[in-house]
Amino acid sequence: MQDKQFMKEMLTESAHAYKEGRMDRRTFLALCGASGVAMNAVLAGDAQAAADHVVMWNWGGQSVECHGSAIGDAFTAATGKGVKFDTSGPLEGKIKEMVDSGNVTADVADADLFNAVSLGPTGHLEPIDYDIVSKDKTLPGYALEYGVSVILYGYAFVYDTEAYGDNPPKDWKDFFDTANFPGTRALYKWANGSLEAALMADGVAGDALYPLDMDRALNKIKSIKDDSIYWGSGSEVHSMVVNNEVTMAIIWQNRGRNIENDTDGRFKLVNNQAMAMPGAYIVPKGNPAGREAVMQFIATAQEVPAQLKLLDCLGMTPSNPAAFGEIPEDQQPYAITSAMNIDKIVYNDPTWWGENGGDAVNAFLEAIS
Amino acid sequence: MNAVARHIHPGWAIVAPLLVLVVALYLGPILNIMWLSVTDPEPGLGNYRKLYESDSLLRIVWTTLRICVITTIFSVSLGYSIAYAMVHCHLRQKNYMLTLLLVSFWISILVRTFSWLMLLGRNGLVNNTFETLGLISAPIAFMRNELGVLIGMVHYMIPYAVLPLLVSMQSLDSRVMDASRNLGASGSQTFWRIYLPLTLPGIVASTLLVFILSLGFYVTPAVLGGGKVLMVAEYISVQLLVTLKWGTAAMLAALMLAGVLAMLWIMSRFMKLSAVFGGSTR
């Protein structure tokens, strides 16, 4: 461990020297080789990245452009360090595999806060440094030892105005009421949000959801099984809705915004009882750029301008309370922490999901298949 | 040195590095998976015991087997008629058919899966046409259920079924069938008693190929099943990536591997596998 640390520092130092022209390329590569830094890391230029880049691991698509302009530019201006992207999607299993293999190539992962609860105690994550990152710039309860919520996304639903014109569904109770609101529903396949929605539909208060009563939730889910299909990705539910396969769909609120636009308002987003999900930045153990640089990156993302740009570009809602009041008028209906919505939403408990998520997903899959 | 050379052909020395590499890169990870299945989360056979204790796991395995068997039956019987037609039509038509077959063989599985949604989906071409013609009042649920998965899988698998059958049919000596007719057998008698038994190795080969490939299907069930048809491959991926139950995933992977090997072994009891894979029967 000591040796690894030494080598990393030596390489970081020599990468700087190489960049500034104090060391020639051949010596630099020889040093990389001698210290056993993986060839592929050198080939990909990652040893250089280790010196002056932070590698963000996200989900691709628009997020490269948006994370770059919202966080990357300000971070580069403040620290002189660049931002690179790995767009392969930091699923929990992939983070675990990356750290276990000892070849950590990402500095910060755009993940869920419950990932911090399940992967932190097993030694796969760096703890958040709260001397650099601020606990006050996120919602209370969403600044945990191994992860901090930077944005919120929400599980809301959209409905077809042509199917329910005069009497639109207002809440989860209506969503699960197939007698008065006939039509096919789309639910999220990996349980998250679907379970909470089922419990609220069954009469559980939004602030008394946890610990989730799994049997009760699954019974409610099964009660509309014949009228349900299930989606696994944002693009999948998007196509289910715009192709009119369903009349209602549980959906991420930023997708809801896109769908309203794509269908010229035929489908409408309902944020009542939407569940706020803390999207978190977490740091794989032994990240190449070092702890300080990545903590500065996270701190940059917490700032109000970055928060508002992420909302504008990706539709991700700010989690920094100082930004709530500055959400622009046209984004108010789609941002779950806007003045228009904040009193109607419920909050996800990352600790419960971190500790019970695996079993919950399996039980859910069993119930729907 | 001479003593060694007498027992081991020196040619092996040239092959050995490659062989070692293949064994290391291929067997290594497989052994690792097997090891994981008896060590994660704790040492012992706990993961395998779950098969008996958990109804849901058994149900997933059962769903997978059921879908694979049905897919295999339909793909091989449709494939048999296609191959039969190809062998017995004119060369020009045969080339057209082969081109069409290969084109669909080369098109990505994702594209083929999503085109079924456009054709047979709730608002797809077929349902829209039927509704406009007044044949049906509500859309028929072809997709987002087990039927959808089967349609998608059979369609994907037909080229895999046709190719081995085609090879087997082309290598038949047509004079044998002529002799059968000459000796007084009717057309259908010739088919059932001469042609079909002679093409049996081809049938077995395409059955094995289709069944084994079907076991690993992931994209088609996930998209066309609407989340309701859970097969082993998708379940393994969820256990690896989302729920972090790597032991369960490794156990199911080991089980599938054992199943495939067992199937090959049972087949080898009934016929020479080399014949199935195109070698000589003698």
Side-chain angles (χ1 to χ4, degrees), chain A residues 216-237:
Chain A
R216 189 171 171 183
L218 293 177
N219 277 335
K220 193 75 183 171
I221 300 273
K222 282 186 201 163
S223 72
I224 60 162
K225 190 169 158 182
D226 290 340
D227 292 301
S228 306
I229 57 178
Y230 305 88
W231 55 272
S233 70
S235 52
E236 193 175 9
V237 64

Side-chain angles (χ1 to χ4, degrees), chain A residues 91-94 96 119 189-190 225 228-230 236 240 243-245 358-359 361-362 366 368-369, chain B residues 56 59 117 122-123 144 222-223 226-230 234-235 238-246:
Chain A
L91 281 168
E92 208 165 297
K94 291 193 196 167
K96 180 172 147 84
L119 286 174
K189 185 154 74 172
W190 292 351
K225 190 169 158 182
S228 306
I229 57 178
Y230 305 88
E236 193 175 9
M240 283 174 176
N243 291 329
N244 295 321
E245 282 189 72
D359 292 331
V361 170
N362 280 341
E366 184 192 335
I368 65 172
S369 65
Chain B
S56 60
R59 211 157 45 110
L117 277 184
R122 210 184 138 77
N123 253 7
R144 310 283 190 198
V223 174
K228 293 177 179 176
V229 184
L230 190 59
E234 191 184 1
Y235 192 75
V238 172
Q239 303 312 313
L240 278 178
L241 294 174
V242 182
T243 66
L244 295 194
K245 296 191 187 306
W246 287 8

Side-chain angles (χ1 to χ4, degrees), chain A residues 51-207:
Chain A
D52 52 13
H53 282 88
V54 165
V55 179
M56 180 172 198
W57 192 2
N58 63 17
W59 302 84
Q62 271 179 304
S63 56
V64 169
E65 184 194 318
C66 294
H67 285 144
S69 62
I71 314 167
D73 292 351
F75 175 70
T76 308
T79 62
K81 294 183 164 79
V83 179
K84 285 186 171 181
F85 295 95
D86 172 348
T87 57
S88 60
L91 281 168
E92 208 165 297
K94 291 193 196 167
I95 301 175
K96 180 172 147 84
E97 200 277 330
M98 180 183 276
V99 176
D100 284 349
S101 74
N103 184 21
V104 178
T105 53
D107 292 300
V108 55
D110 179 15
D112 274 297
L113 196 52
F114 62 80
N115 297 140
V117 177
S118 50
L119 286 174
T122 52
H124 292 91
L125 299 177
E126 296 280 351
I128 299 296
D129 183 350
Y130 284 108
D131 290 334
I132 302 175
V133 177
S134 168
K135 280 195 179 185
D136 299 328
K137 291 179 181 166
T138 188
L139 289 172
Y142 284 173
L144 303 180
E145 190 178 356
Y146 293 98
V148 58
S149 169
V150 170
I151 52 94
L152 300 169
Y153 62 98
Y155 283 101
F157 71 90
V158 290
Y159 70 89
D160 185 351
T161 51
E162 285 183 20
Y164 312 114
D166 301 332
N167 176 30
K170 303 174 301 293
D171 51 22
W172 294 120
K173 193 162 168 296
D174 295 346
F175 186 94
F176 278 82
D177 182 352
T178 47
N180 291 318
F181 298 91
T184 309
R185 276 86 165 134
L187 278 73
Y188 186 41
K189 185 154 74 172
W190 292 351
N192 228 307
S194 298
L195 288 172
E196 283 89 345
L199 285 174
M200 283 187 268
D202 212 28
V204 178
D207 53 5

Side-chain angles (χ1 to χ4, degrees), chain B residues 159-186:
Chain B
Y160 290 90
V162 171
L163 294 175
L165 284 167
L166 198 60
V167 172
S168 144
M169 286 179 188
Q170 270 172 337
S171 62
L172 286 190
D173 186 344
S174 61
R175 288 174 305 178
V176 177
M177 266 63 73
D178 295 341
S180 155
R181 296 302 300 274
N182 195 296
L183 290 169
S186 70

